Amino acid sequence: MSTLTIKRPDDWHLHLRDGAMMDGVLPHSAAHFARAIIMPNLVPPVVTGDQAAAYRDRILKALPDGMTFDPLMTLYLTENTNPADVAAAHASGLVKAVKLYPAGATTNSASGVQDFDAVRPVLEKMAEIGLPLCVHGEVTAPEIDIFDREAAFIDLVLDPIRQSTPGLRVVMEHITTSNAVAYAEDQDDTLGATITVQHLMLDRNDMLVGGIRPHYYCLPILKRGSHRLELLRAATSGAPRFFLGTDSAPHATHTKENACGCAGCFTAPIALSCLAQTFDEAHALDNLEAFVSQNGPAFYGLPENTDTITLTKGDPITIPDHIDTDAGPVTVFDPGRPVFWSVQ
Ligand code: NCD
Ligand code: ZN
């Protein structure tokens, strides 16, 4: 048996939802993570500073007694977003990033951006005040194959935005391809990139060979194995550019086990166990703390957490099939192989 004590981690990309679903999933993130960047893709989306403040209050109210958790709020960028509202929400300390969803790219992204020129004044204001843009990096043109959408986005949208908005801090979220790793490694430190648990552990064969596994279906979609190996290399390298964003995205089980299933993996309860397992297999446990606890705060200009968590390697853990919420059961991500690390 061995143990590993690291500074308490943060999650730099998390979906908490709202109402009964939030009540059910929030304790699973708060149990392990000190802070999380909270995604704004509610229905309707969190667009204004006032909406973000109200959402933050609802999160804190849903937090069980005795737990601590700091939700770092984001605003959902639309073509009508007001630069002054964004600047005020940032100046008050409430909002830590703005989220760019290309319209139609993923769950609840209908209000996202179609005309990138329309958001230019907001992006320029963000560059001026140092507020990061979190980017769902997939093009949505129907003729572009779903497996090529991230690579196309880098060339067609991301790089042009960065070239035309010098100084804008950008997080490439949930990267899934060697193209994204190569791009990120080639940039200056205004660029960060988050990586999920499922993209480090699985490839598209895991999702599609021998039967379709809806609980492995997320966006951006799992890619071929060679991409996974590059993500693993980047995450385990310790390089400051790469940090954890679980993209834990709960959907009630019946909405995923469905003829038209929702995208998203609910990883929050077992994310750290799975990451310790993955880093252990890669002989890179020394760099786990950088990936989950240090590189993220450094990018966001926030202090590292001062308390710690301890991970223990022992018998394989039992991954619960699901958690119960008042919005229905939510299936817990299971990587399909033994995980020997538990969080104490
Ligand atoms: C996310 C969700 O369900 O909100 N789904 C997912 O597959 N990751 C949206 C997103 O982050 O793309
Ligand atoms: Zn997400």
Side-chain angles (χ1 to χ4, degrees):
M1 192 162 109
S2 50
T3 67
L4 179 67
T5 297
I6 58 173
K7 292 198 172 116
R8 183 171 293 281
D10 304 300
D11 184 350
W12 300 96
H13 181 133
L14 175 64
H15 298 270
L16 284 179
R17 315 302 189 200
D18 211 343
M21 180 64 88
M22 174 167 75
D23 292 344
V25 300
L26 172 61
H28 294 279
S29 286
H32 296 162
F33 297 98
R35 300 170 286 199
I37 285 277
I38 307 300
M39 286 297 119
N41 63 331
L42 305 182
V43 188
V46 179
V47 174
T48 65
D50 284 350
Q51 289 168 334
Y55 185 29
R56 183 170 188 277
D57 288 345
R58 295 198 296 281
I59 296 168
L60 292 176
K61 209 167 152 213
L63 193 65
D65 286 344
M67 293 192 108
T68 56
F69 183 69
D70 187 6
L72 308 175
M73 306 311 290
T74 63
L75 298 179
Y76 187 121
L77 182 62
T78 74
E79 291 174 21
N80 299 316
T81 294
N82 176 349
D85 181 61
V86 171
H90 171 251
S92 74
L94 171 72
V95 156
K96 296 291 186 263
V98 171
K99 173 73 187 230
L100 167 64
Y101 288 104
T106 187
T107 311
N108 304 339
S109 61
S111 323
V113 177
Q114 249 165 335
D115 173 8
F116 291 91
D117 286 335
V119 296
R120 172 133 306 287
V122 183
L123 300 183
E124 275 162 13
K125 175 57 78 178
M126 290 170 62
E128 181 192 317
I129 62 181
L131 179 62
L133 180 72
C134 290
V135 176
H136 182 109
E138 290 191 287
V139 294
T140 54
E143 66 274 16
I144 311 264
D145 188 273
I146 188 169
F147 291 100
D148 299 333
R149 289 180 169 201
E150 180 173 285
F153 184 90
I154 295 168
D155 295 339
L156 299 177
V157 183
L158 177 65
D159 196 57
I161 285 180
R162 294 188 66 244
Q163 298 291 344
S164 61
T165 325
L168 180 66
R169 300 181 68 72
V170 173
V171 182
M172 298 172 75
E173 298 201 281
H174 42 51
I175 62 170
T176 64
T177 58
S178 59
N179 312 63
V181 171
Y183 183 80
E185 286 181 331
D186 205 31
Q187 307 302 307
D188 64 22
D189 61 11
T190 58
L191 190 81
T194 62
I195 309 180
T196 76
V197 174
Q198 66 268 22
H199 291 101
L200 288 174
M201 297 189 88
L202 303 177
D203 62 38
R204 63 195 193 181
N205 277 12
D206 296 301
M207 178 176 62
L208 294 171
V209 173
I212 186 162
R213 290 179 184 72
H215 299 292
Y216 290 167
Y217 173 60
C218 65
L219 291 172
I221 198 157
L222 294 172
K223 304 298 191 298
R224 63 169 66 241
S226 54
H227 290 292
R228 183 184 77 87
L229 293 178
E230 275 298 279
L231 297 170
L232 193 58
R233 182 185 62 73
T236 58
S237 70
R241 193 129 313 166
F242 301 102
F243 40 95
L244 173 65
T246 65
D247 196 15
S248 181
H251 293 273
T253 297
H254 71 276
T255 66
K256 289 189 64 68
E257 297 174 2
N258 189 292
C260 184
C262 295
C265 301
F266 177 55
T267 53
I270 44 71
L272 289 176
S273 292
C274 285
L275 288 169
Q277 180 65 35
T278 303
F279 276 61
D280 190 4
E281 288 166 7
H283 307 289
L285 279 173
D286 285 351
N287 286 334
L288 182 63
E289 186 176 42
F291 184 66
V292 302
S293 313
Q294 295 178 308
N295 296 347
F299 181 86
Y300 277 93
L302 295 169
E304 294 172 8
N305 297 311
T306 48
D307 60 334
T308 60
I309 60 158
T310 297
L311 292 143
T312 306
K313 187 177 187 180
D315 292 332
I317 63 168
T318 305
I319 296 175
D321 172 74
H322 66 275
I323 63 157
D324 285 309
T325 79
D326 287 347
V330 178
T331 299
V332 178
F333 176 80
D334 183 334
R337 55 181 190 266
V339 173
F340 296 92
W341 289 86
S342 57
V343 183
Q344 260 174 16

